[in-house]
Amino acid sequence: MAFQKAVKGTALIGGGAIATVFGLSQFSQYRNKHGTFVHVQAAEAVPVPIKNHFPTREQQILALQTTSEFDVLVIGGGATGCGCALDAVTRGLKTALLERDDFSSGTSSRSTKLIHGGVRYLQKAIMKLDLEQYKMVKEALEERANLLEIAPHLSAPLPIMLPVYKWWQLPYYWFGIKLYDLVAGSQCLKSSYVLSKSRALELFPMLRKDELVGAIVYYDGQHNDARMNLAIALTAARYGAATANYAEVLCLLKTGRGALLLVRQEFDVKAKCVINATGPFTDSVRKMDDQEVPNICQPSAGVHIVMPGYYSPDNMGLLDPATSDGRVIFFLPWEKMTIAGTTDSPTDVTSHPIPTEEDINFILNEVRNYLSVDVEVRRGDVLAAWSGIRPLVTDPNSKDTQSISRNHVVTVSDSGLVTIAGGKWTTYRAMAQDTIDAAIQAHDLKAGSSKTIGLQLQGAEDWSPTLYIRLVQDYGLESEVAQHLASTYGDKAFEVAKIAQVTGKRWPIVGKRLVSEFPYIEAEVVYGVKEYARTAVDMISRRTRLAFLNVQAAEEALPRIVDIMGKELNWSEQKKTEELEAAKKFLYYEMGYKVKSDQLTDSSEISLGPSDIERYKKRFHMFDKDKKGFITILDVQRVLESISVQIAENTLHEILNEVDLNKNGQVELNEFLQLMSAIQKGHVSGSRLAVLMKTAEENLRQRVVIPVDRSGGGL
């Protein structure tokens, strides 16, 4: 078996030499054609001026209603759709974009957060002598370089470690990764390198030591996907595109061309060309055009989980190139947390994909295989989980989604509907360019070539790595908050800082946090409304990323977020209640709260030893002095007062509600024992009630302050 793998490695090297020569020659042609990424030249080449600010949503809706005819109407507000709008409007075409939900509400916000060429696709290209796969990797590496250039505040290179546990794999993987560097050519972010076992463990101390022989480190890009998508949309709006979220296309207009649109009331939008860029929903829009058309998309679900930041180093990712079922798992630092994924399985198309317990446990098991035995990988440490639907292009009869390339295809129907399908996040710009080229040709539109290479996105123009220091010095923001604002809004961070509220404290002077352990501040909610946010879900998942980082923290922030949005958007009390419930439902089903809460239910088994049960009963009865069999907020307050500790009543409500399984306003003894049993098994972690009761028991004698922040881990 080892010999067969070694032979394959030799084939990889030999094929790599040929592919490298081809890649470098093609790369040279690419550079000669497009020149270097010079931002000023890119902006000056655009035939329309860019506005200092993007229009309000009301102005955008008015433009959709009053414009007699657009040149291009794009359906879909994901990365590809927004990319199409930006490409079209910067060529001088009168452009509109419509999105049924929010910008990036689908697949574009639920990615692995990588900007990459695809190491495994290159391997497949060489092993199978697949020229199309090779071209896709080459194109993606070119686009990776461009994306890092045009949005440096939202993206950065990330070193990724590939641990090696068999000696023969070291040269095999080394040549493969070096080939990846060579195909990138002068756009290689940083050269890959080999590490000894000791150096690998120094850089990634959580790594499993047994049988480790060394590691290889290579570089790819990482970004904030939803914010990147929004930056593309806002840039298109500033160049004059009429973009609108929550604008549902009800049908396509064959006579006169365009679409029947629903934004509170129905109205027509006329356009010379309609572009279908709806990702997994590609076929549903194609069937609006022609009911008999065969499907061209086969959706695949990919689940990711988020775990506490201590599971990975701050600036080093991990790649598992061969999981137990042949998939690839990434284990990456992101937003000071750790993201792990992904899975790959056929699925139905839905607007509300739900992560399953089976997929979550698969990822956890793979993570356990690569982490040290000293690191207990607990189910309870999953802080958020989500599922995204990849819009893979395939033969309708194919069933094996793992063998399908993410190459994109552009088709034009008999009626003139232009459809862009497939592809990947990294290549959104190239996909948009190909789409607009096809639209121009099919509809004889008057426009020049694409202007988007090197064209900076919203927030990039005056951004610098030290911009956050000015935010601290000029406005009195916390350093962590300032860094977050700079890396989220770029040079527009000053606009957020200007509307930040005074804290009333000596420090920070401004910037009230939504939740204590994350750097999101209340001013971002106000600014998010200006960025076309219209629901509480928009705010917790795409303007901020709270829902993707910690579902409990997102739920805690919701009441304040709804209050602020209510003032900005003039919501009634009923509307505020509806938004709160809708956001909680989103967290419960789509962001993993349900599968997390299912770890502790009223039917959970209590598997504690007699001594543990007795110990926990004593702890419980310390609060339940009256032997009622349950504890309430009053019981907890009484104990805290006895040791001179005060905790806000609403915080105590939240703490008890986390454990109150039957939601009757009290925690019963059985519920408490179920909690402690789940904690011992690793199914639950970070329970504030458990921490509070344990610490109170210990400190009735010592009289020290009880911490009640989420611990991020177990007891």
Side-chain angles (χ1 to χ4, degrees):
M1 185 67 178
F3 176 75
Q4 290 176 344
K5 295 252 184 176
V7 171
K8 285 185 179 179
T10 305
L12 175 61
I13 298 165
I18 299 170
T20 300
V21 174
F22 179 79
L24 290 175
S25 65
Q26 294 296 307
F27 168 73
S28 177
Q29 292 176 23
Y30 176 89
R31 295 293 284 185
N32 291 336
K33 180 179 178 182
H34 295 293
T36 56
F37 299 136
V38 180
H39 307 311
V40 174
Q41 290 179 354
E44 288 179 349
V46 177
V48 291
I50 187 170
K51 301 172 184 174
N52 291 329
H53 302 282
F54 47 87
T56 65
R57 187 168 184 276
E58 290 70 28
Q59 290 171 330
Q60 296 284 46
I61 298 299
L62 183 62
L64 289 169
Q65 291 175 318
T66 58
T67 301
S68 59
E69 185 180 52
F70 290 96
D71 294 317
V72 171
L73 170 61
V74 182
I75 305 174
T80 305
C82 291
C84 287
L86 180 59
D87 190 285
V89 75
T90 51
R91 297 195 200 201
L93 295 171
K94 194 176 294 184
T95 304
L97 180 143
L98 309 175
E99 164 57 45
R100 177 177 61 184
D101 204 306
D102 186 28
F103 303 113
S104 196
S105 58
T107 306
S108 296
S109 64
R110 305 178 190 223
S111 72
T112 311
K113 322 303 178 194
L114 284 177
I115 309 170
H116 63 137
V119 173
R120 64 178 176 139
Y121 297 124
L122 182 59
Q123 181 187 30
K124 288 181 179 180
I126 301 305
M127 292 298 188
K128 298 180 180 180
L129 299 178
D130 188 335
L131 186 60
E132 287 304 311
Q133 288 257 19
Y134 173 78
K135 287 181 178 178
M136 184 191 73
V137 174
K138 183 176 70 66
E139 179 181 65
L141 289 171
E142 292 166 354
E143 293 301 325
R144 178 188 71 178
N146 184 61
L147 194 49
L148 289 166
E149 285 281 332
I150 64 176
H153 57 301
L154 291 169
S155 59
L158 176 71
I160 300 175
M161 182 182 292
L162 196 160
V164 180
Y165 289 92
K166 295 180 181 178
W167 281 107
W168 67 263
Q169 290 179 331
L170 205 55
Y172 173 72
Y173 287 135
W174 183 83
F175 279 109
I177 294 299
K178 277 300 174 187
L179 174 59
Y180 193 62
D181 290 348
L182 288 167
V183 173
S186 64
Q187 293 172 336
C188 177
L189 302 180
K190 289 185 181 180
S191 182
S192 58
Y193 54 90
V194 177
L195 293 174
S196 65
K197 175 180 179 178
S198 59
R199 182 62 176 151
L201 291 172
E202 183 181 336
L203 293 175
F204 208 116
M206 308 84 174
L207 204 59
R208 178 167 63 88
K209 305 173 186 177
D210 299 345
E211 300 178 357
L212 181 70
V213 298
I216 301 168
V217 174
Y218 74 98
Y219 287 80
D220 256 326
Q222 189 178 52
H223 69 153
N224 185 336
D225 53 3
R227 292 295 316 184
M228 185 74 81
N229 194 154
L230 183 64
I232 300 167
L234 295 177
T235 306
R238 288 179 61 196
Y239 273 108
T243 61
N245 53 351
Y246 297 99
E248 183 177 4
V249 172
L250 300 178
C251 66
L252 300 180
L253 305 175
K254 295 298 181 69
T255 55
R257 289 200 179 123
L260 175 63
L261 185 63
L262 176 62
V263 187
R264 292 183 186 165
Q265 77 266 14
E266 296 180 5
F267 59 89
D268 293 348
V269 177
K270 298 290 183 64
K272 297 173 184 174
C273 171
V274 177
I275 293 174
N276 172 16
T278 52
F281 300 94
T282 293
D283 289 322
S284 62
V285 175
R286 291 174 73 238
K287 290 182 187 299
M288 285 185 186
D289 179 54
D290 179 2
Q291 282 289 338
E292 304 302 317
V293 72
N295 291 344
I296 63 171
C297 277
Q298 181 170 315
S300 168
V303 171
H304 295 82
I305 63 174
V306 166
M307 305 176 77
Y310 55 70
Y311 271 94
S312 64
D314 291 339
N315 192 37
M316 179 68 74
L318 185 73
L319 167 64
D320 178 357
T323 63
S324 56
D325 66 351
R327 306 184 223 185
V328 171
I329 289 285
F330 285 99
F331 193 64
L332 311 167
W334 182 67
E335 299 288 320
K336 298 188 177 179
M337 294 295 180
T338 301
I339 183 173
T342 178
T343 59
D344 188 358
S345 54
T347 185
D348 295 327
V349 175
T350 173
S351 299
H352 307 288
I354 298 172
T356 66
E357 185 64 19
E358 180 183 2
D359 283 328
I360 291 171
N361 283 321
F362 167 79
I363 296 172
L364 288 174
N365 287 333
E366 294 302 325
V367 168
R368 289 187 186 101
N369 291 336
Y370 273 84
L371 295 190
S372 168
V373 292
D374 297 331
V375 180
E376 183 184 357
V377 180
R378 303 177 298 187
R379 174 61 182 82
D381 282 341
V382 177
L383 305 175
W386 67 86
S387 176
I389 301 178
R390 303 183 190 91
L392 306 182
V393 182
T394 181
D395 183 324
N397 297 319
S398 175
K399 294 182 180 179
D400 181 10
T401 60
Q402 292 186 52
S403 65
I404 300 169
S405 169
R406 275 185 258 184
N407 279 337
H408 65 273
V409 295
V410 180
T411 63
V412 181
S413 72
D414 293 340
S415 68
L417 175 68
V418 179
T419 293
I420 170 68
K424 54 191 293 185
W425 223 120
T426 307
T427 59
Y428 85 90
R429 194 214 62 82
M431 293 165 63
Q433 177 178 322
D434 291 348
T435 305
I436 302 304
D437 284 346
I440 290 171
Q441 183 176 358
H443 295 274
D444 195 26
L445 302 176
K446 306 303 179 185
S449 60
S450 176
K451 306 294 191 298
T452 52
I453 290 179
L455 186 68
Q456 289 185 303
L457 299 182
Q458 168 88 352
E461 185 177 355
D462 294 321
W463 176 86
S464 74
T466 57
L467 182 145
Y468 78 94
I469 296 174
R470 289 175 54 199
L471 292 171
V472 175
Q473 293 175 336
D474 294 353
Y475 294 94
L477 288 160
E478 292 176 80
S479 181
E480 183 187 12
V481 171
Q483 289 177 20
H484 153 68
L485 294 181
S487 65
T488 301
Y489 303 94
D491 60 18
K492 304 302 177 186
F494 295 99
E495 296 182 12
V496 182
K498 286 176 184 176
I499 59 175
Q501 284 187 307
V502 175
T503 63
K505 301 176 183 177
R506 184 184 62 81
W507 190 263
I509 298 172
V510 301
K512 292 184 179 180
R513 294 195 182 209
L514 289 169
V515 284
S516 60
E517 66 264 52
F518 290 95
Y520 300 107
I521 60 174
E522 293 182 357
E524 292 181 77
V525 181
V526 177
Y527 194 76
V529 172
K530 295 180 181 179
E531 293 180 317
Y532 307 141
R534 282 302 175 269
T535 71
V537 172
D538 296 345
M539 203 63 69
I540 61 175
S541 59
R542 293 176 286 275
R543 301 311 181 277
T544 74
R545 306 311 306 274
L546 262 177
F548 283 80
L549 296 171
N550 190 312
V551 288
Q552 285 183 271
E555 185 182 45
E556 286 178 24
L558 272 175
R560 184 61 185 142
I561 287 173
V562 169
D563 280 345
I564 297 171
M565 292 189 75
K567 291 178 183 177
E568 294 296 314
L569 295 169
N570 297 316
W571 286 347
S572 65
E573 288 301 315
Q574 180 181 350
K575 173 65 174 174
K576 287 165 68 173
T577 300
E578 290 172 356
E579 283 295 323
L580 194 61
E581 291 307 310
K584 287 182 177 180
K585 184 178 179 181
F586 168 79
L587 292 173
Y588 188 71
Y589 290 105
E590 295 184 50
M591 298 310 300
Y593 212 150
K594 181 180 187 300
V595 285
K596 184 179 179 68
S597 62
D598 283 350
Q599 302 304 306
L600 182 64
T601 67
D602 52 14
S603 60
S604 297
E605 180 185 356
I606 299 175
S607 55
L608 297 169
S611 60
D612 286 333
I613 290 177
E614 189 61 29
R615 177 160 55 96
Y616 293 137
K617 279 184 176 180
K618 285 182 179 179
R619 185 177 300 172
F620 185 85
H621 289 139
M622 182 187 72
F623 285 77
D624 181 23
K625 285 287 187 183
D626 301 327
K627 301 294 187 294
K628 305 181 298 297
F630 60 85
I631 58 175
T632 64
I633 283 181
L634 294 176
D635 295 319
V636 177
Q637 285 176 327
R638 176 181 49 76
V639 173
L640 295 180
E641 287 172 3
S642 71
I643 54 175
S644 303
V645 172
Q646 289 186 337
I647 298 176
E649 186 173 341
N650 62 335
T651 302
L652 287 177
H653 272 292
E654 293 170 359
I655 291 172
L656 263 67
N657 191 55
E658 291 172 5
V659 187
D660 180 14
L661 302 178
N662 52 19
K663 304 304 178 188
N664 61 356
Q666 58 197 34
V667 176
E668 294 154 9
L669 174 60
N670 199 58
E671 290 174 325
F672 179 66
L673 293 177
Q674 287 171 328
L675 169 66
M676 301 314 295
S677 178
I679 289 173
Q680 278 199 5
K681 290 185 287 188
H683 293 169
V684 171
S685 64
S687 168
R688 292 186 287 174
L689 180 65
V691 173
L692 186 150
M693 293 179 71
K694 177 177 183 289
T695 313
E697 182 182 51
E698 294 172 349
N699 290 282
L700 273 171
R701 305 178 210 73
Q702 300 173 14
R703 300 291 195 274
V704 298
V705 177
I706 300 173
V708 295
D709 287 340
R710 277 179 298 277
S711 67
L715 296 177

